[in-house]
Amino acid sequence: MTIQDFIPKAYTTVVESGSVTWESPSNIALVKYWGKKEHQIPANPSISFTLSGCKTKTTLSYSKKETSDDFSFDVFLDGEHKDSFKPKIETFFKRVEVYVPFVKDYHFKIETENTFPHSSGIASSASGMSALALCLMSIEMKLSDVIQSPSTPLRTGSTERVFNDDYFNQKASFLARLGSGSACRSIEGDIVGWGLHKDITGSSDLYGVKYPFEVHESFKNYQDTILLVDKGEKQVSSTVGHGLMHNHPFAEQRFDQAHKNLSMLINVFKEGNLDEFIKIVESEALTLHAMMMTSLPYFILMKPNTLEIINKIWAYRETSDSKLCFTLDAGANVHLLYPEKETEKVLEFIKNELVAHCQNGHYICDQIGFGARLIIN
């Protein structure tokens, strides 16, 4: 698919008003994307686990306006008016207007809520922007007088116009990417890649793709327990952080490392080699933070309790046969990844050793999930 494939022909149906609700999950990157080019294009490919419980539900209500000269919308989080969200959403609408040109034809009411606490330190941009993109796609289907079918290919020039699931998901992912890069990995599950990679069939810089190869049984229902070390605002915004990769002295080596790690993960997923999985995932997490520590300006995003948790995880593995490992986003919180069969033992370890390093003792139990879900259309 190319950018041109996502520019629609003239809409065939007039819809005065309506509403649609989608639920979309967050995701956690295993191979990190850090650094981007123009138009939200990643500097390196990434791959992630889609989560199950940490998700955003968004209802998009729309009513036809008399004029189409500007964007018009209101935003609500948990029922509370949130004007602070408007600049980011307006930027998103400007970026996607050419692909969903109806966005200036309607006044929108965007009502959103997260299953995880807003102050939890978990980035909601991936789940939030992907849910909004899916709502826009549902509206486009109505304006195009189409149905969505997994079994019928996309047809043009016929009486019945059809969006197949692949096209719907690809365009939703494409739109979501223009709001938040990692949001393009939240449309599907359970493992999603984003960014052109020589070994990943169908990979693209434009949208996320469901991982196409064999995955060992060991990775089914993989667990992710998120330790909330710091619930405050991010020290560095993602936009600023990605920008720091421009002219970074180790940028090219980092991008090359990501390609190699993704290639190695293909065999890891196929063979169920959890020891190699641990090495790659933890190395990726620490490399992300190393990039921030060696940029100009430089930042240390980990907190003392982050390091305490990491050291205790390493000590726990030394004295057990556990395959527990950690990963980090661009912040202090720690994602614990482990096979489902270890759930009872790991939760006991968390309660005994790690909860003391969490802010107010808070952590969230989640697991691998399978993508977004339409609630009301």
Side-chain angles (χ1 to χ4, degrees):
M1 300 290 286
T2 68
I3 289 175
Q4 295 300 315
D5 293 316
F6 296 125
I7 299 176
K9 296 179 180 178
Y11 297 127
T12 57
T13 301
V14 176
V15 179
E16 292 295 330
S17 62
S19 68
V20 59
T21 303
W22 275 89
E23 192 176 75
S24 189
S26 188
N27 65 76
I28 180 64
L30 308 173
V31 171
K32 310 293 185 180
Y33 121 81
W34 201 241
K36 58 188 174 185
K37 306 170 189 176
E38 273 191 300
H39 309 301
Q40 296 284 94
I41 298 298
N44 67 266
S46 59
I47 196 164
S48 60
F49 280 157
T50 307
L51 298 183
S52 176
C54 291
K55 55 196 174 185
T56 297
K57 184 169 79 170
T58 295
T59 296
L60 185 63
S61 303
Y62 50 97
S63 54
K64 192 84 168 174
K65 297 189 300 174
E66 291 186 3
T67 62
S68 302
D69 54 352
D70 207 352
F71 304 111
S72 177
F73 61 93
D74 293 300
V75 191
F76 298 83
L77 174 66
D78 298 327
E80 182 181 338
H81 208 274
K82 283 286 183 181
D83 280 344
S84 60
F85 289 3
K86 295 189 80 168
K88 184 167 186 174
I89 293 174
E90 182 162 0
T91 297
F92 172 60
F93 280 165
K94 287 177 181 176
R95 289 173 177 172
V96 303
E97 181 186 1
V98 66
Y99 310 109
V100 280
F102 62 83
V103 291
K104 280 188 176 177
D105 296 337
Y106 293 91
H107 174 76
F108 296 105
K109 182 180 181 183
I110 305 167
E111 299 172 276
T112 188
E113 59 186 60
N114 300 321
T115 58
F116 47 92
H118 182 58
S119 60
S120 67
I122 299 173
S124 59
S125 58
S127 55
M129 283 298 180
S130 56
L132 181 56
L134 286 158
C135 288
L136 292 176
M137 281 303 298
S138 288
I139 295 172
E140 180 163 274
M141 286 177 62
K142 293 177 181 180
L143 293 172
S144 303
D145 191 25
V146 302
I147 60 173
Q148 188 180 359
S149 167
S151 58
T152 310
L154 181 67
R155 299 184 299 177
T156 56
S158 62
T159 303
E160 182 187 63
R161 299 176 64 203
V162 177
F163 280 177
N164 69 2
D165 281 351
D166 286 343
Y167 179 83
F168 185 94
N169 288 338
Q170 283 174 358
K171 184 167 180 179
S173 179
F174 172 84
L175 296 176
R177 187 197 94 244
L178 295 174
S180 170
S182 60
C184 77
R185 298 192 306 248
S186 285
I187 304 297
E188 297 187 89
D190 48 0
I191 302 173
V192 175
W194 170 40
L196 194 62
H197 187 275
K198 65 181 180 63
D199 296 329
I200 304 292
T201 304
S203 62
S204 173
D205 287 340
L206 301 180
Y207 48 81
V209 296
K210 186 175 170 63
Y211 183 71
F213 303 130
E214 181 181 350
V215 178
H216 192 274
E217 197 66 26
S218 296
F219 291 103
K220 302 300 181 183
N221 297 320
Y222 224 71
Q223 303 294 296
D224 179 7
T225 298
I226 306 149
L227 306 183
L228 305 179
V229 173
D230 184 4
K231 302 183 192 178
E233 291 293 321
K234 290 201 296 187
Q235 183 182 349
V236 183
S237 73
S238 296
T239 300
V240 171
H242 288 295
L244 292 173
M245 291 300 286
H246 296 299
N247 301 316
H248 193 292
F250 309 126
E252 292 306 317
Q253 292 92 332
R254 162 58 202 151
F255 301 149
D256 184 57
Q257 178 195 43
H259 279 273
K260 290 177 179 177
N261 281 342
L262 215 165
S263 291
M264 289 190 290
L265 269 181
I266 294 173
N267 283 332
V268 167
F269 282 140
K270 180 179 179 179
E271 298 168 1
N273 188 334
L274 297 184
D275 291 326
E276 284 302 308
F277 178 78
I278 289 169
K279 290 177 185 176
I280 293 169
V281 169
E282 292 189 346
S283 171
E284 279 285 319
L286 295 175
T287 299
L288 169 64
H289 284 256
M291 291 297 101
M292 293 299 289
M293 286 188 277
T294 51
S295 64
L296 283 174
Y298 39 79
F299 299 92
I300 298 177
L301 303 183
M302 289 186 278
K303 302 291 186 183
N305 280 334
T306 308
L307 297 175
E308 290 286 347
I309 288 168
I310 289 172
N311 280 312
K312 286 190 174 181
I313 291 169
W314 288 340
Y316 178 69
R317 282 209 306 261
E318 283 291 317
T319 58
S320 69
D321 60 355
S322 176
K323 303 304 179 185
L324 170 68
C325 72
F326 70 87
T327 189
L328 308 165
D329 274 335
N333 297 330
V334 183
H335 288 250
L336 303 182
L337 303 177
Y338 51 96
E340 183 182 32
K341 66 181 181 180
E342 289 193 39
T343 299
E344 186 176 346
K345 288 183 178 179
V346 170
L347 290 180
E348 190 67 22
F349 169 57
I350 292 170
K351 291 174 185 175
N352 292 338
E353 299 287 340
L354 304 184
V355 72
H357 304 295
C358 299
Q359 189 172 338
N360 299 322
H362 289 173
Y363 59 93
I364 296 172
C365 295
D366 207 341
Q367 65 180 23
I368 202 165
F370 297 94
R373 186 167 68 99
L374 177 64
I375 306 298
I376 301 172
N377 191 14

Short mmCIF file of all heavy atoms in Angstrom, two decimals, residues 101-141:
data_model
loop_
_atom_site.label_atom_id
_atom_site.label_comp_id
_atom_site.label_asym_id
_atom_site.label_seq_id
_atom_site.Cartn_x
_atom_site.Cartn_y
_atom_site.Cartn_z
N PRO A 101 -11.32 13.55 4.39
CA PRO A 101 -11.65 14.96 4.19
C PRO A 101 -12.95 15.41 4.84
O PRO A 101 -13.21 16.62 4.90
CB PRO A 101 -11.72 15.08 2.66
CG PRO A 101 -11.86 13.70 2.13
CD PRO A 101 -11.19 12.81 3.12
N PHE A 102 -13.73 14.49 5.36
CA PHE A 102 -14.97 14.87 6.04
C PHE A 102 -14.74 15.51 7.41
O PHE A 102 -15.68 15.99 8.03
CB PHE A 102 -15.89 13.65 6.20
CG PHE A 102 -15.31 12.55 7.03
CD1 PHE A 102 -15.40 12.58 8.42
CD2 PHE A 102 -14.67 11.47 6.44
CE1 PHE A 102 -14.86 11.56 9.21
CE2 PHE A 102 -14.13 10.44 7.21
CZ PHE A 102 -14.22 10.50 8.59
N VAL A 103 -13.50 15.54 7.90
CA VAL A 103 -13.27 16.01 9.26
C VAL A 103 -13.64 17.49 9.45
O VAL A 103 -13.87 17.92 10.58
CB VAL A 103 -11.82 15.77 9.74
CG1 VAL A 103 -11.55 14.29 9.94
CG2 VAL A 103 -10.81 16.41 8.80
N LYS A 104 -13.70 18.26 8.36
CA LYS A 104 -14.14 19.66 8.48
C LYS A 104 -15.65 19.82 8.26
O LYS A 104 -16.18 20.92 8.43
CB LYS A 104 -13.38 20.54 7.50
CG LYS A 104 -11.98 20.94 7.97
CD LYS A 104 -11.36 21.97 7.05
CE LYS A 104 -10.00 22.43 7.59
NZ LYS A 104 -9.34 23.38 6.66
N ASP A 105 -16.31 18.74 7.87
CA ASP A 105 -17.74 18.82 7.58
C ASP A 105 -18.61 18.67 8.82
O ASP A 105 -19.80 18.96 8.77
CB ASP A 105 -18.14 17.73 6.58
CG ASP A 105 -17.47 17.92 5.23
OD1 ASP A 105 -17.06 19.06 4.92
OD2 ASP A 105 -17.33 16.91 4.49
N TYR A 106 -18.02 18.19 9.91
CA TYR A 106 -18.80 17.86 11.11
C TYR A 106 -18.25 18.56 12.35
O TYR A 106 -17.06 18.86 12.44
CB TYR A 106 -18.77 16.35 11.35
CG TYR A 106 -19.48 15.53 10.30
CD1 TYR A 106 -18.80 15.05 9.20
CD2 TYR A 106 -20.84 15.26 10.43
CE1 TYR A 106 -19.44 14.30 8.22
CE2 TYR A 106 -21.50 14.51 9.46
CZ TYR A 106 -20.79 14.04 8.36
OH TYR A 106 -21.46 13.31 7.40
N HIS A 107 -19.15 18.77 13.29
CA HIS A 107 -18.72 19.08 14.66
C HIS A 107 -18.64 17.75 15.40
O HIS A 107 -19.59 16.94 15.34
CB HIS A 107 -19.69 20.00 15.37
CG HIS A 107 -19.34 20.21 16.82
ND1 HIS A 107 -18.30 21.02 17.23
CD2 HIS A 107 -19.86 19.64 17.96
CE1 HIS A 107 -18.20 20.97 18.54
NE2 HIS A 107 -19.13 20.15 19.01
N PHE A 108 -17.53 17.52 16.08
CA PHE A 108 -17.32 16.26 16.78
C PHE A 108 -17.35 16.46 18.29
O PHE A 108 -16.84 17.46 18.81
CB PHE A 108 -15.96 15.65 16.41
CG PHE A 108 -15.83 15.26 14.98
CD1 PHE A 108 -15.10 16.04 14.09
CD2 PHE A 108 -16.45 14.12 14.50
CE1 PHE A 108 -14.97 15.69 12.76
CE2 PHE A 108 -16.33 13.74 13.17
CZ PHE A 108 -15.59 14.54 12.29
N LYS A 109 -17.92 15.50 18.96
CA LYS A 109 -17.81 15.40 20.41
C LYS A 109 -17.01 14.14 20.69
O LYS A 109 -17.45 13.03 20.37
CB LYS A 109 -19.18 15.33 21.07
CG LYS A 109 -19.12 15.26 22.60
CD LYS A 109 -20.53 15.19 23.20
CE LYS A 109 -20.49 15.14 24.72
NZ LYS A 109 -21.84 15.01 25.31
N ILE A 110 -15.83 14.32 21.27
CA ILE A 110 -14.93 13.19 21.53
C ILE A 110 -14.98 12.89 23.03
O ILE A 110 -14.54 13.71 23.84
CB ILE A 110 -13.48 13.54 21.11
CG1 ILE A 110 -13.43 13.97 19.65
CG2 ILE A 110 -12.55 12.35 21.35
CD1 ILE A 110 -12.11 14.62 19.24
N GLU A 111 -15.53 11.74 23.36
CA GLU A 111 -15.63 11.32 24.77
C GLU A 111 -14.75 10.10 24.97
O GLU A 111 -14.95 9.07 24.33
CB GLU A 111 -17.08 10.99 25.12
CG GLU A 111 -18.04 12.15 24.95
CD GLU A 111 -19.49 11.73 25.10
OE1 GLU A 111 -20.07 11.26 24.10
OE2 GLU A 111 -20.03 11.87 26.23
N THR A 112 -13.76 10.24 25.85
CA THR A 112 -12.78 9.18 25.99
C THR A 112 -12.56 8.83 27.46
O THR A 112 -12.70 9.68 28.34
CB THR A 112 -11.45 9.60 25.32
OG1 THR A 112 -10.55 8.50 25.29
CG2 THR A 112 -10.81 10.78 26.04
N GLU A 113 -12.25 7.58 27.70
CA GLU A 113 -11.95 7.12 29.06
C GLU A 113 -10.96 5.97 28.98
O GLU A 113 -10.95 5.19 28.02
CB GLU A 113 -13.22 6.69 29.78
CG GLU A 113 -13.99 5.56 29.10
CD GLU A 113 -15.32 5.26 29.76
OE1 GLU A 113 -16.17 6.17 29.82
OE2 GLU A 113 -15.49 4.10 30.20
N ASN A 114 -10.09 5.91 29.99
CA ASN A 114 -9.07 4.86 30.05
C ASN A 114 -9.41 3.86 31.14
O ASN A 114 -9.96 4.23 32.18
CB ASN A 114 -7.70 5.48 30.35
CG ASN A 114 -7.26 6.47 29.29
OD1 ASN A 114 -7.48 6.25 28.10
ND2 ASN A 114 -6.63 7.57 29.71
N THR A 115 -9.05 2.61 30.90
CA THR A 115 -9.25 1.60 31.94
C THR A 115 -8.17 1.70 33.01
O THR A 115 -8.33 1.16 34.10
CB THR A 115 -9.22 0.18 31.36
OG1 THR A 115 -7.96 -0.03 30.70
CG2 THR A 115 -10.35 -0.04 30.36
N PHE A 116 -7.08 2.39 32.68
CA PHE A 116 -6.01 2.60 33.66
C PHE A 116 -6.09 4.04 34.14
O PHE A 116 -6.55 4.92 33.41
CB PHE A 116 -4.64 2.31 33.04
CG PHE A 116 -4.42 2.95 31.69
CD1 PHE A 116 -3.83 4.19 31.58
CD2 PHE A 116 -4.81 2.30 30.52
CE1 PHE A 116 -3.63 4.79 30.35
CE2 PHE A 116 -4.61 2.88 29.28
CZ PHE A 116 -4.02 4.13 29.19
N PRO A 117 -5.64 4.32 35.36
CA PRO A 117 -5.73 5.68 35.89
C PRO A 117 -4.98 6.67 35.02
O PRO A 117 -3.87 6.39 34.54
CB PRO A 117 -5.08 5.57 37.28
CG PRO A 117 -5.16 4.13 37.62
CD PRO A 117 -5.06 3.38 36.32
N HIS A 118 -5.58 7.83 34.79
CA HIS A 118 -4.97 8.83 33.92
C HIS A 118 -3.60 9.26 34.45
O HIS A 118 -2.71 9.60 33.69
CB HIS A 118 -5.88 10.06 33.80
CG HIS A 118 -5.33 11.11 32.88
ND1 HIS A 118 -5.02 10.87 31.55
CD2 HIS A 118 -5.01 12.42 33.10
CE1 HIS A 118 -4.55 11.97 30.99
NE2 HIS A 118 -4.53 12.92 31.91
N SER A 119 -3.42 9.21 35.76
CA SER A 119 -2.15 9.63 36.37
C SER A 119 -1.21 8.45 36.61
O SER A 119 -0.27 8.55 37.37
CB SER A 119 -2.43 10.32 37.70
OG SER A 119 -3.08 9.44 38.59
N SER A 120 -1.45 7.33 35.92
CA SER A 120 -0.68 6.13 36.22
C SER A 120 0.72 6.13 35.62
O SER A 120 1.53 5.28 35.94
CB SER A 120 -1.42 4.89 35.71
OG SER A 120 -1.48 4.89 34.30
N GLY A 121 0.98 7.09 34.74
CA GLY A 121 2.29 7.10 34.09
C GLY A 121 2.35 6.22 32.87
O GLY A 121 3.38 6.13 32.21
N ILE A 122 1.26 5.56 32.50
CA ILE A 122 1.20 4.79 31.27
C ILE A 122 0.76 5.73 30.15
O ILE A 122 -0.27 6.40 30.27
CB ILE A 122 0.20 3.62 31.38
CG1 ILE A 122 0.62 2.67 32.49
CG2 ILE A 122 0.10 2.87 30.05
CD1 ILE A 122 -0.39 1.60 32.78
N ALA A 123 1.52 5.80 29.08
CA ALA A 123 1.17 6.69 27.97
C ALA A 123 -0.14 6.23 27.35
O ALA A 123 -0.30 5.07 26.98
CB ALA A 123 2.29 6.67 26.93
N SER A 124 -1.08 7.15 27.25
CA SER A 124 -2.38 6.83 26.66
C SER A 124 -2.49 7.26 25.21
O SER A 124 -3.52 7.09 24.59
CB SER A 124 -3.50 7.48 27.48
OG SER A 124 -3.33 8.88 27.51
N SER A 125 -1.41 7.82 24.66
CA SER A 125 -1.48 8.31 23.29
C SER A 125 -1.69 7.18 22.29
O SER A 125 -2.42 7.33 21.31
CB SER A 125 -0.22 9.11 22.93
OG SER A 125 0.94 8.32 23.09
N ALA A 126 -1.07 6.01 22.52
CA ALA A 126 -1.22 4.90 21.60
C ALA A 126 -2.66 4.39 21.58
O ALA A 126 -3.26 4.22 20.51
CB ALA A 126 -0.26 3.76 21.97
N SER A 127 -3.22 4.16 22.74
CA SER A 127 -4.59 3.66 22.81
C SER A 127 -5.59 4.74 22.40
O SER A 127 -6.56 4.48 21.69
CB SER A 127 -4.91 3.15 24.21
OG SER A 127 -4.66 4.13 25.20
N GLY A 128 -5.35 5.98 22.83
CA GLY A 128 -6.28 7.06 22.54
C GLY A 128 -6.33 7.43 21.07
O GLY A 128 -7.41 7.56 20.49
N MET A 129 -5.18 7.59 20.45
CA MET A 129 -5.15 7.98 19.04
C MET A 129 -5.62 6.85 18.13
O MET A 129 -6.24 7.09 17.09
CB MET A 129 -3.75 8.44 18.63
CG MET A 129 -3.43 9.85 19.11
SD MET A 129 -4.58 11.07 18.37
CE MET A 129 -3.96 12.58 19.09
N SER A 130 -5.31 5.61 18.49
CA SER A 130 -5.79 4.50 17.67
C SER A 130 -7.30 4.36 17.75
O SER A 130 -7.98 4.10 16.75
CB SER A 130 -5.10 3.19 18.07
OG SER A 130 -5.28 2.91 19.45
N ALA A 131 -7.88 4.58 18.95
CA ALA A 131 -9.34 4.52 19.09
C ALA A 131 -10.00 5.62 18.26
O ALA A 131 -11.02 5.39 17.59
CB ALA A 131 -9.72 4.66 20.56
N LEU A 132 -9.43 6.83 18.28
CA LEU A 132 -9.99 7.93 17.50
C LEU A 132 -9.88 7.65 16.01
O LEU A 132 -10.83 7.91 15.24
CB LEU A 132 -9.27 9.23 17.86
CG LEU A 132 -9.73 10.51 17.16
CD1 LEU A 132 -11.23 10.74 17.37
CD2 LEU A 132 -8.92 11.71 17.66
N ALA A 133 -8.75 7.11 15.57
CA ALA A 133 -8.57 6.78 14.15
C ALA A 133 -9.59 5.73 13.70
O ALA A 133 -10.14 5.82 12.60
CB ALA A 133 -7.15 6.27 13.91
N LEU A 134 -9.86 4.75 14.54
CA LEU A 134 -10.84 3.72 14.21
C LEU A 134 -12.25 4.31 14.10
O LEU A 134 -13.03 3.92 13.23
CB LEU A 134 -10.80 2.61 15.26
CG LEU A 134 -9.57 1.70 15.16
CD1 LEU A 134 -9.30 1.01 16.49
CD2 LEU A 134 -9.76 0.67 14.05
N CYS A 135 -12.56 5.26 14.97
CA CYS A 135 -13.86 5.93 14.88
C CYS A 135 -14.00 6.67 13.55
O CYS A 135 -15.05 6.62 12.89
CB CYS A 135 -14.04 6.91 16.04
SG CYS A 135 -14.31 6.13 17.66
N LEU A 136 -12.93 7.35 13.13
CA LEU A 136 -12.96 8.05 11.85
C LEU A 136 -13.15 7.08 10.69
O LEU A 136 -13.88 7.37 9.73
CB LEU A 136 -11.67 8.85 11.65
CG LEU A 136 -11.47 10.05 12.58
CD1 LEU A 136 -10.09 10.68 12.34
CD2 LEU A 136 -12.56 11.10 12.41
N MET A 137 -12.52 5.92 10.78
CA MET A 137 -12.68 4.92 9.72
C MET A 137 -14.11 4.40 9.65
O MET A 137 -14.65 4.17 8.56
CB MET A 137 -11.70 3.76 9.94
CG MET A 137 -10.29 4.05 9.50
SD MET A 137 -10.15 4.52 7.77
CE MET A 137 -10.77 3.05 6.96
N SER A 138 -14.75 4.23 10.80
CA SER A 138 -16.14 3.78 10.81
C SER A 138 -17.06 4.81 10.14
O SER A 138 -17.99 4.46 9.43
CB SER A 138 -16.61 3.50 12.24
OG SER A 138 -16.01 2.33 12.74
N ILE A 139 -16.77 6.10 10.39
CA ILE A 139 -17.56 7.15 9.74
C ILE A 139 -17.32 7.13 8.23
O ILE A 139 -18.26 7.25 7.43
CB ILE A 139 -17.20 8.53 10.33
CG1 ILE A 139 -17.60 8.60 11.80
CG2 ILE A 139 -17.90 9.65 9.54
CD1 ILE A 139 -17.11 9.85 12.52
N GLU A 140 -16.07 6.95 7.81
CA GLU A 140 -15.78 6.91 6.38
C GLU A 140 -16.52 5.76 5.70
O GLU A 140 -17.01 5.90 4.57
CB GLU A 140 -14.28 6.78 6.12
CG GLU A 140 -13.97 6.74 4.63
CD GLU A 140 -12.52 7.01 4.30
OE1 GLU A 140 -12.17 8.20 4.16
OE2 GLU A 140 -11.76 6.04 4.18
N MET A 141 -16.63 4.64 6.38
CA MET A 141 -17.38 3.52 5.81
C MET A 141 -18.83 3.91 5.54
O MET A 141 -19.41 3.57 4.50
CB MET A 141 -17.34 2.32 6.76
CG MET A 141 -16.01 1.60 6.78
SD MET A 141 -16.01 0.25 8.00
CE MET A 141 -17.31 -0.79 7.33
#
